[in-house]
Amino acid sequence: MTVTLNAYNVVAARCAAEYLGMHETVEKGNLIYKVEVFLNSSIFRSWKDSIIVLQTTKSLLPLSEELKLSSHCIDAISSKASGDVSKVDWSYTYNRKKLLEENGNDPTWNGVRSRTVPKDWWVEDLCDLEIDLYKRVIVSITNKGIVPHEVIGEALKAYAVRMLPGFGKGGIQCGDVSKARTVLDAIVCLLPAERGSVSCGFLLKLLKASILADLGEMPKRELVKRIGQQLEEASVSDLLIPSQNGETTIYDVCVVQQILKEFMMQEANGATEGDEIQEARKPGILSEASKLMVAKLVDGYLAEIAKDPHLPLSLFVDLAEMVSSISRPAHDGLYRAIDMFLKVHPGISKSERKRICRLMDCKKLSVDACMHAVQNERLPLRVVVQVLFFEQVRAAASSGSSTPDLPKVLKDLNSASHGSSRTATTNTEEDWDAVASAEELRALKGELAALRLGNGSISERNGGDSRSHNNDRAAISKMRSLLMSKKIFSKIWSSKGGGQGENSGSDSSESLGSANLEEGKSTPSRRGRHSVS
């Protein structure tokens, strides 16, 4: 009788021969011997046949496992995946990056494959395996230590996209939730330990899917830790993780707080942990560039979650304060986030409005942000005045006046304003924390435009230090008259003189009392955050 063996029936034939006891001791050249020869000479030398045979072993457990058919297939697959890519001459599936010659669009292609084999040539073929077999194959490939960890990460990403419908869009549409949990748990366990082996975006998609599938706490904590180690790579859209059912907020802000905490803890942990941990990280992980990128990321994230009408003020403020120690050159992003929160939450109290405005430093707003803030009816009056004042100081500095002269003029202004500080006691805290009226904003905006226009004319006709000094004094006098008429400017100084002002990193008295204008413009706050008193 002629029996044709192939990749689909060879495992069944081997198990049947074992069951029937068809060994060499019974008869030379018996079926077990012939099947073993066929496996070693044909199947295990073929890439795709090895994968097919491995898949068929699952239906014949536990005998196929006892005969070591599964382990032999896994070893053959991992050996080929770990081999020299220049020696790959067998067929494999690779559809993720179509090349010109594969599409028939390469005019120089002569029909012979001369392109370089990619390092991840084997990734897609293994996506056909069930999760338990896939996990064993990846472990075997990793243990050989030849394949780069970035390729292992690419393989896990491809498998997640194949096995979890909707994963590429940041969710899962799998009807079998238990299967999704098994796949996610395995992928998290298989993630290479090396930092950067997978992208931060992929890790965040894994975290979103894990939350949706209600995965265990241990895998989620591991993902949060991994994301925190490379948070500077993330985008705002990556961080928008939907809340679970039953929560009032649209997005899960608490998990982002945990991620940010992991990021900020790295520098402290790096000083106490051993060299082994340090080697797993890139040097300078918390460089100034990384910190600034994360601060900008948080500002953008705050602007997005501020659109949620159910977002508590405490969550917004707590998240912003987590990066307050990072000195940023500009606070425009934070201002946009605060403005969005005030716009969506018009019913918050005056104290809450003052609390959220303390987060930004008015000295660090750009010219465009200052122009917007001066016209912003949602800001407390004290913030509008501070913005106008610091914009005037900046305009005076850029008008061509000499740097040594300007602080002296500011000191004169300081003395003059203290002389009328008693009259400011009639202003209550409610007046300061109240939202500026449209009339006040128009007056402030007009004064700002006049000052900017006046400074422009100064720069055009700047003929000497004396004339520039006098023009600066005249411009600041205009500013003083406007603010003093509203009993505003003296309030700024009385808060310092009376010892009742809020603890402020950006108050006017600190800036004006500085001996150098540049220090007043760029010195970060002592506490790392700024108030608007």
Side-chain angles (χ1 to χ4, degrees):
M1 184 176 68
T2 301
V3 178
T4 302
L5 294 177
N6 55 46
Y8 295 95
N9 63 16
V10 66
V11 175
R14 178 64 182 86
C15 291
E18 184 69 24
Y19 178 77
L20 296 173
M22 302 175 72
H23 300 281
E24 289 296 286
T25 55
V26 177
E27 182 180 350
K28 286 290 184 180
N30 216 333
L31 184 58
I32 291 178
Y33 172 77
K34 291 180 178 179
V35 171
E36 291 289 347
V37 170
F38 177 68
L39 285 170
N40 292 318
S41 63
S42 179
I43 296 297
F44 295 151
R45 293 187 178 185
S46 170
W47 167 250
K48 290 198 172 181
D49 282 349
S50 297
I51 296 174
I52 293 171
V53 170
L54 180 59
Q55 290 173 306
T56 61
T57 59
K58 192 169 184 179
S59 61
L60 293 166
L61 292 172
L63 188 55
S64 62
E65 197 66 48
E66 295 172 2
L67 297 175
K68 299 188 182 300
L69 293 173
S70 301
S71 59
H72 287 323
C73 286
I74 291 171
D75 186 62
I77 293 169
S78 61
S79 296
K80 285 182 171 57
S82 303
D84 188 350
V85 294
S86 64
K87 297 180 180 180
V88 174
D89 57 0
W90 50 80
S91 175
Y92 57 86
T93 303
Y94 200 81
N95 292 323
R96 288 172 300 126
K97 298 175 183 177
K98 289 290 187 182
L99 301 179
L100 287 176
E101 64 265 27
E102 291 176 331
N103 294 329
N105 297 327
D106 188 0
T108 63
W109 189 50
N110 57 6
V112 179
R113 187 180 72 179
S114 59
R115 60 183 171 83
T116 304
V117 176
K119 291 182 179 180
D120 57 347
W121 62 266
W122 50 269
V123 165
E124 287 187 59
D125 285 323
L126 295 190
C127 291
D128 295 330
L129 297 174
E130 292 292 330
I131 185 60
D132 52 345
L133 295 175
Y134 181 83
K135 185 176 181 179
R136 292 174 63 184
V137 172
I138 295 296
V139 169
S140 179
I141 294 173
T142 303
N143 289 340
K144 290 184 182 296
I146 299 175
V147 176
H149 51 82
E150 294 89 352
V151 178
I152 300 292
E154 184 65 26
L156 297 175
K157 180 179 178 181
Y159 191 77
V161 172
R162 175 78 67 87
M163 301 301 291
L164 299 171
F167 179 83
K169 298 181 179 179
I172 50 174
Q173 302 169 358
C174 183
D176 190 348
V177 179
S178 61
K179 179 182 177 181
R181 289 196 195 104
T182 303
V183 171
L184 288 167
D185 188 60
I187 291 176
V188 174
C189 292
L190 292 171
L191 288 172
E194 292 81 4
R195 181 183 181 275
S197 55
V198 292
S199 67
C200 189
F202 174 60
L203 291 173
L204 280 161
K205 286 179 181 178
L206 281 177
L207 182 59
K208 290 179 185 180
S210 299
I211 293 174
L212 289 174
D214 197 19
L215 202 61
E217 287 300 318
M218 286 294 292
K220 285 191 282 190
R221 277 201 296 268
E222 176 64 21
L223 287 171
V224 166
K225 182 177 180 181
R226 295 288 299 268
I227 294 167
Q229 292 176 353
Q230 52 194 99
L231 183 58
E232 67 272 16
E233 302 172 13
S235 65
V236 173
S237 59
D238 291 333
L239 293 177
L240 297 177
I241 302 174
S243 293
Q244 292 283 69
N245 292 333
E247 296 187 14
T248 56
T249 56
I250 298 176
Y251 300 112
D252 192 338
V253 182
C254 294
V255 72
V256 176
Q257 284 181 313
Q258 296 171 17
I259 293 171
L260 191 56
K261 182 179 179 181
E262 287 290 338
F263 175 82
M264 300 300 292
M265 286 175 59
Q266 286 181 91
E267 200 162 48
N269 292 343
T272 57
E273 293 176 350
D275 294 337
E276 180 181 350
I277 302 297
Q278 287 299 313
E279 289 177 1
R281 297 179 181 148
K282 291 183 178 179
I285 174 60
L286 282 190
S287 63
E288 289 304 313
S290 297
K291 292 178 183 179
L292 288 175
M293 291 171 70
V294 169
K296 183 178 180 181
L297 175 69
V298 172
D299 289 346
Y301 178 74
L302 288 171
E304 286 298 321
I305 64 173
K307 300 174 184 177
D308 181 3
H310 301 291
L311 179 70
L313 176 70
S314 58
L315 270 181
F316 184 97
V317 173
D318 290 347
L319 189 62
E321 288 179 341
M322 291 183 74
V323 294
S324 61
S325 61
I326 301 176
S327 179
R328 285 164 279 182
H331 275 204
D332 287 18
L334 185 57
Y335 168 69
R336 281 190 291 269
I338 292 172
D339 183 48
M340 179 58 66
F341 189 92
L342 295 176
K343 180 179 180 181
V344 178
H345 302 79
I348 64 174
S349 65
K350 293 179 181 178
S351 61
E352 290 174 328
R353 197 178 296 269
K354 185 166 79 170
R355 181 185 177 192
I356 194 173
C357 287
R358 276 204 192 105
L359 296 171
M360 67 176 175
D361 184 355
C362 296
K363 296 191 296 293
K364 293 187 176 182
L365 295 181
S366 68
V367 175
D368 291 339
C370 286
M371 294 299 294
H372 185 277
V374 169
Q375 306 173 64
N376 195 339
E377 298 182 1
R378 292 182 284 272
L379 294 177
L381 185 59
R382 70 169 74 224
V383 178
V384 177
V385 171
Q386 277 194 323
V387 170
L388 181 61
F389 177 76
F390 289 125
E391 172 61 16
Q392 192 275 334
V393 172
R394 179 162 48 194
S398 63
S399 65
S401 62
S402 58
T403 305
D405 291 339
L406 187 58
K408 183 177 184 305
V409 179
L410 295 180
K411 288 179 182 179
D412 295 341
L413 185 58
N414 185 4
S415 302
S417 62
H418 271 296
S420 59
S421 61
R422 292 180 181 180
T423 62
T425 56
T426 56
N427 280 359
T428 64
E429 284 298 314
E430 286 74 14
D431 294 333
W432 276 93
D433 297 332
V435 175
S437 66
E439 292 77 10
E440 290 171 321
L441 288 176
R442 279 196 296 270
L444 292 172
K445 179 184 176 183
E447 183 65 17
L448 177 60
L451 285 170
R452 292 181 64 83
L453 182 61
N455 283 321
S457 62
I458 291 171
S459 62
E460 291 176 1
R461 54 188 176 84
N462 186 9
D465 291 342
S466 177
R467 181 182 299 179
S468 175
H469 176 79
N470 294 333
N471 287 331
D472 289 337
R473 185 183 295 273
I476 295 176
S477 177
K478 286 178 61 182
M479 185 69 180
R480 183 178 60 188
S481 63
L482 172 71
L483 298 179
M484 292 288 287
S485 66
K486 293 178 176 291
K487 296 183 180 180
I488 290 176
F489 189 72
S490 58
K491 178 64 179 180
I492 296 178
W493 298 110
S494 65
S495 66
K496 179 180 178 181
Q500 298 175 353
E502 292 85 356
N503 186 13
S504 168
S506 63
D507 66 23
S508 307
S509 59
E510 180 181 337
S511 175
L512 291 181
S514 171
N516 188 297
L517 180 62
E518 292 301 318
E519 290 179 2
K521 290 172 64 179
S522 61
T523 302
S525 72
R526 290 184 294 272
R527 293 195 175 186
R529 73 173 196 175
H530 309 278
S531 77
V532 293
S533 58

